Amino acid sequence: MTSREAREILKTYRPGIDFHDPAFHEAVAQARRDPDLAAWVRNQDALYQGIRSQLKDVPVPEDLAAKILTSHRPRWSGREMLQLAAAVAILAAVAAFWLQERRHPATFADYRTSMAALVSKKYPMGLETPDLERARKFLANNQSPSDYVLPAALKSAPLLGCATLSWGANPVSLLCFRQKDGSGLWLFVTEHPSLRGLPASVEPEFSQTNGLITAGWRDGGKIYLMASLGGPDRLAPYLRE
Amino acid sequence: MSPSVDFECLVRSHYRDLYHFAFSLVRNPSEASDLVQETFHIWAKKGTQLREQRSAKSWLFTTLHRLFLQACRHQTRFPEIELTEAQGELPDASVDPAAKLDSEAVLKALEELDPGHRAPLALYYLEDYSYREIAGILEVPLGTVQSRISRGKARLLEKLTGSPGANVSEGGAK
């Protein structure tokens, strides 16, 4: 191979990368024998390195990796989130009840306070649906009270969804409605005959709890607790039969 | 190792190299970012079966290049420019040509090449891939890659040095 032929071959040679490529072996050997060709190879390599470093010096957007990771971080599905949140809420309610039971027997006031506290913060919805029957089925499928009787006026309020809770060892169904002004309206249904201080009858008993107005009543073995922001006038329209 | 750790590790290991490759192809920061994000998006959807890091990197380059070609097909602003077969000799740089280079000039010269030559040349300069590996990534025969790099480099240097077929001033091999 002549130096001229070697030079043609070495025009695309990258000393640090193509050294083991047999296509260049003979030409590289020729460059070792020809100092001028060797100098030319060095010059070509300097040019290669210059272009390489210019291309590699292009600044990379600082937030690119974060963007990629954020948009593709494995996420909980909406359903999984709801289930997890519901489980956490149930555990929290169980823990709260257990701690209270150790101190003194549970009362309806305790239950009311716990439930009011629950909806005063962000809470998980087990099923988001405007369909009362779907909600009832969901609650039944989750061993939560489902044979409740809603006040007739309440049925006209838009349903947002429902959740299954537990207070002590007792399941509690939560139905979430939206009032005309957009605020929430909650109805808890449970069966807890051993609670002390239960409402005496179907007549609602009002109480201010945790900034909410609540109305509690008993009907057919079920204990109902309705809650809303504001005063008793906020609940009254929904309590009519 | 969980898939999520794999993904984060993969992103952090390769996003810069992919961005440089993408930028050398499109010379536009937002388009380059989009190409990189879309590449990882495709990986997240179906690339997780590749566990070997080196294979993964090649896969990412191949995917990004496919996306680039797809984009080219949808954009008329990338007309195919056939390089003449008779390129003659590669232009030789004169004294210390590297010192005269600037990033903008290199990228502009690269952009003026047609996409078929731009991609192999970008990999040739940016990565330590062999010719065979570049051929695998770009899904073209080895001979095609070799000729595209040779012609692409000739055209690039011609644009940078402005001297087609110039001789080496310090006495190149004759």
Side-chain angles (χ1 to χ4, degrees):
Chain A
M1 179 180 283
T2 66
S3 287
R4 187 177 185 83
E5 289 166 339
R7 192 173 116 176
E8 283 304 308
I9 292 169
L10 293 172
K11 279 178 177 173
T12 54
Y13 176 67
R14 300 165 296 178
I17 301 166
D18 300 321
F19 184 75
H20 297 292
D21 188 335
F24 295 104
H25 283 177
E26 202 178 340
V28 170
Q30 179 62 23
R32 286 204 192 97
R33 292 188 291 269
D34 181 340
D36 287 342
L37 181 58
W40 179 87
V41 168
R42 283 194 297 276
N43 187 284
Q44 290 295 303
D45 185 44
L47 182 58
Y48 170 84
Q49 296 298 340
I51 293 174
R52 180 182 170 101
S53 70
Q54 292 298 337
L55 291 175
K56 279 186 171 288
D57 280 351
V58 169
V60 180
E62 287 179 9
D63 59 347
L64 181 56
K67 273 187 186 170
I68 296 164
L69 291 170
T70 305
S71 60
H72 294 292
R73 197 175 295 285
R75 295 179 199 150
W76 294 84
S77 68
R79 186 178 174 81
E80 287 171 333
M81 282 295 284
L82 285 171
Q83 288 171 344
L84 176 67
V88 169
I90 289 167
L91 283 173
V94 168
F97 176 81
W98 182 76
L99 288 170
Q100 282 196 335
E101 282 288 276
R102 282 174 65 91
R103 287 197 289 270
H104 52 79
T107 65
F108 180 69
D110 297 330
Y111 167 72
R112 188 171 55 208
T113 302
S114 295
M115 297 301 107
L118 183 76
V119 294
S120 296
K121 302 169 189 167
K122 282 192 175 178
Y123 61 91
M125 205 99 82
L127 175 70
E128 290 183 48
T129 177
D131 187 334
L132 279 168
E133 283 314 303
R134 268 194 75 196
R136 191 186 291 274
K137 197 173 285 183
F138 174 84
L139 294 169
N141 290 341
N142 287 280
Q143 290 77 49
S144 213
S146 59
D147 53 343
Y148 44 77
V149 179
L150 299 179
L154 185 59
K155 290 177 188 170
S156 63
L159 180 70
L160 296 175
C162 63
T164 59
L165 311 173
S166 179
W167 199 71
N170 298 279
V172 179
S173 292
L174 168 60
L175 291 159
C176 311
F177 298 87
R178 185 170 56 226
Q179 300 188 59
K180 283 177 184 167
D181 65 355
S183 62
L185 178 71
W186 302 277
L187 181 70
F188 300 90
V189 185
T190 188
E191 297 167 1
H192 198 326
S194 62
L195 273 181
R196 296 198 302 174
L198 284 171
S201 68
V202 294
E203 282 303 309
E205 295 177 9
F206 293 93
S207 173
Q208 284 286 350
T209 310
N210 277 3
L212 298 177
I213 181 68
T214 64
W217 70 94
R218 283 168 70 182
D219 191 7
K222 300 284 184 296
I223 303 161
Y224 296 85
L225 180 70
M226 189 183 282
S228 165
L229 289 167
D233 58 311
R234 298 297 297 272
L235 294 182
Y238 301 104
L239 291 168
R240 293 191 202 107
E241 286 303 326
Chain B
M1 194 157 41
S2 72
S4 60
V5 173
D6 279 345
F7 184 68
E8 180 164 354
C9 180
L10 191 81
V11 171
R12 295 204 184 282
S13 299
H14 302 311
Y15 82 97
R16 288 177 181 278
D17 292 340
L18 283 169
Y19 181 83
H20 284 137
F21 179 47
F23 194 86
S24 69
L25 297 177
V26 297
R27 200 174 161 228
N28 176 301
S30 58
E31 282 181 44
S33 293
D34 288 349
L35 278 173
V36 176
Q37 287 191 67
E38 183 62 17
T39 299
F40 280 113
H41 175 66
I42 292 172
W43 168 276
K45 283 198 294 189
K46 59 182 183 182
T48 49
Q49 66 270 28
L50 284 171
R51 310 300 287 183
E52 197 189 328
Q53 284 290 304
R54 189 163 175 84
S55 301
K57 187 176 181 184
S58 299
W59 188 96
L60 291 166
F61 274 106
T62 297
T63 303
L64 192 148
H65 180 243
R66 283 182 190 166
L67 291 170
F68 166 68
L69 292 179
Q70 283 168 18
C72 287
R73 280 194 281 273
H74 288 102
Q75 292 174 17
T76 54
R77 69 189 182 89
F78 290 110
E80 284 287 325
I81 302 166
E82 277 300 316
L83 286 175
T84 57
E85 288 297 320
Q87 277 300 312
E89 289 192 347
L90 279 167
D92 296 320
S94 54
V95 183
D96 195 14
K100 293 187 287 189
L101 294 173
D102 69 78
S103 182
E104 190 61 22
V106 171
L107 287 162
K108 186 171 184 301
L110 198 56
E111 190 192 28
E112 287 170 3
L113 302 179
D114 73 283
H117 291 78
R118 208 182 309 161
L121 207 55
L123 287 176
Y124 168 82
Y125 278 113
L126 283 167
E127 297 296 321
D128 292 349
Y129 287 123
S130 68
Y131 286 87
R132 191 170 296 282
E133 288 170 320
I134 293 172
I137 287 168
L138 302 180
E139 303 170 297
V140 292
L142 176 60
T144 304
V145 157
Q146 287 171 328
S147 68
R148 286 184 184 177
I149 288 174
S150 177
R151 291 173 189 173
K153 186 176 180 182
R155 179 58 68 91
L156 184 79
L157 296 183
E158 185 182 314
K159 289 175 185 301
L160 289 173
T161 62
S163 56
N167 290 320
V168 179
S169 62
E170 67 270 36
K174 304 292 189 290

